[in-house]
C-alpha cells in the first residue's frame, strides 16, 4: 500500500484539532474549576478591523479564522484593545440584560461570539481595530503558521494517522508475559 503526502496532509489537521480539544478537557479535569485555555495554543491576531452593522446598530468584527469548538466559545480567549484592555465575554443568555445595562457601564466593553463574528456592546466610538487571541482550527492556518501539537501527544498523532490511512486499528500492546493475549 502506498500513501501519498497529500493523503496524510489532509488528515493531519483533523487529528491535531482532535488532540487540542482532548488536551483542553484533560487540563480542565486536572485543574478542577479552571476553564481557561492553554495560552500556548493561542493564535494572536492584531489589527482585526471593527465594522458597523446598520441593521443591528452595533459594532462587530469578523473572526480572522475558524476557532475550534469548545464549550461557551472558550476557544476565543481574548478580545480587546491593541493596548491590552480586555473586553468582557458575555453568554448568549445574558444578551438581553447586556442590552439594558450597557448604557450604564462606563469604560467597559463586552462582546458576544455569534458564529464567525464578535459583536460588541458599549464599544468605544473611536476604536477601529482590536486584538483577538483564539485556538484556531488547524484547517484555517496557513502553510507558514505554527501548528501547536500538545506536548507528549506526538505518538498518539502518528497512531491515529496510521489507523486512518490504513483503515485498521493496531492491536493494543500486552506488556505482561503471562501466556494470555488481551
Amino acid at each position: 500500500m502506498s500513501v501519498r503526502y497529500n493523503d496524510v496532509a489532509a488528515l493531519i489537521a483533523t487529528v491535531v484539532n482532535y488532540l487540542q480539544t482532548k488536551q483542553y478537557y484533560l487540563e480542565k479535569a486536572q485543574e478542577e474549576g479552571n476553564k481557561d485555555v492553554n495560552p500556548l495554543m493561542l493564535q494572536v491576531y492584531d489589527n482585526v478591523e471593527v465594522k458597523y452593522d446598520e441593521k443591528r446598530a452595533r459594532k462587530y468584527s469578523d473572526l480572522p479564522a475558524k476557532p475550534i469548538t469548545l464549550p461557551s466559545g472558550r476557544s476565543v480567549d481574548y478580545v480587546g484593545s491593541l493596548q491590552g484592555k480586555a473586553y468582557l465575554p458575555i453568554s448568549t443568555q445574558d444578551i438581553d440584560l447586556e442590552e439594558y445595562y450597557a448604557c450604564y457601564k462606563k469604560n467597559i466593553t463586552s462582546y458576544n461570539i455569534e458564529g464567525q463574528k464578535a459583536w460588541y456592546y458599549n464599544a468605544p466610538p473611536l476604536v477601529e481595530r482590536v486584538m483577538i487571541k483564539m485556538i484556531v482550527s488547524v484547517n484555517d492556518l496557513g502553510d507558514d503558521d505554527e501548528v501547536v501539537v500538545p506536548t507528549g501527544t506526538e505518538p498518539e498523532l502518528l497512531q491515529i494517522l496510521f489507523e486512518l490511512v490504513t483503515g485498521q486499528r493496531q492491536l493494543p500492546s500486552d506488556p505482561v508475559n503471562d501466556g494470555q493475549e488481551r
Side-chain angles (χ1 to χ4, degrees):
M1 174 178 165
S2 67
V3 178
R4 300 188 188 282
Y5 173 79
N6 290 340
D7 297 336
V8 175
L11 298 172
I12 286 178
T14 304
V15 176
V16 172
N17 286 340
Y18 165 76
L19 291 174
Q20 286 180 336
T21 305
K22 181 179 174 183
Q23 183 70 23
Y24 169 78
Y25 285 107
L26 287 173
E27 289 177 5
K28 182 179 169 191
Q30 292 171 353
E31 302 171 4
E32 299 172 17
N34 185 3
K35 297 176 181 176
D36 294 339
V37 298
N38 186 336
L40 300 174
M41 289 196 237
L42 296 175
Q43 298 289 330
V44 179
Y45 295 94
D46 292 331
N47 292 322
V48 177
E49 184 180 4
V50 175
K51 301 173 184 174
Y52 185 78
D53 184 279
E54 295 289 334
K55 287 183 185 177
R56 291 192 181 187
R58 180 158 322 289
K59 289 186 174 186
Y60 72 96
S61 291
D62 292 316
L63 294 179
K66 180 182 174 189
I68 65 171
T69 305
L70 292 179
S72 302
R74 287 191 193 105
S75 55
V76 179
D77 187 58
Y78 173 91
V79 176
S81 71
L82 298 175
Q83 293 75 27
K85 183 176 180 183
Y87 299 165
L88 299 175
I90 57 171
S91 66
T92 305
Q93 295 83 8
D94 295 333
I95 289 178
D96 291 337
L97 288 173
E98 190 65 25
E99 290 282 349
Y100 178 76
Y101 287 114
C103 62
Y104 299 109
K105 297 188 321 187
K106 302 293 182 203
N107 300 322
I108 298 175
T109 302
S110 304
Y111 72 92
N112 179 47
I113 302 296
E114 261 183 44
Q116 288 296 108
K117 293 184 179 359
W119 292 92
Y120 304 118
Y121 296 86
N122 204 25
L126 300 178
V127 171
E128 296 176 356
R129 302 250 177 227
V130 294
M131 179 189 302
I132 298 178
K133 300 177 185 178
M134 61 189 203
I135 302 177
V136 177
S137 172
V138 178
N139 297 338
D140 283 4
L141 292 177
D143 292 336
D144 296 336
D145 292 336
E146 183 177 346
V147 176
V148 180
V149 178
T151 305
T153 62
E154 294 87 355
E156 186 176 2
L157 179 129
L158 294 173
Q159 180 64 36
I160 294 170
L161 282 174
F162 174 80
E163 292 172 2
L164 289 172
V165 170
T166 61
Q168 57 184 331
R169 295 192 60 139
Q170 194 172 26
L171 292 175
S173 64
D174 186 8
V176 179
N177 190 3
D178 60 0
Q180 297 179 3
E181 296 295 324
R182 294 182 196 253

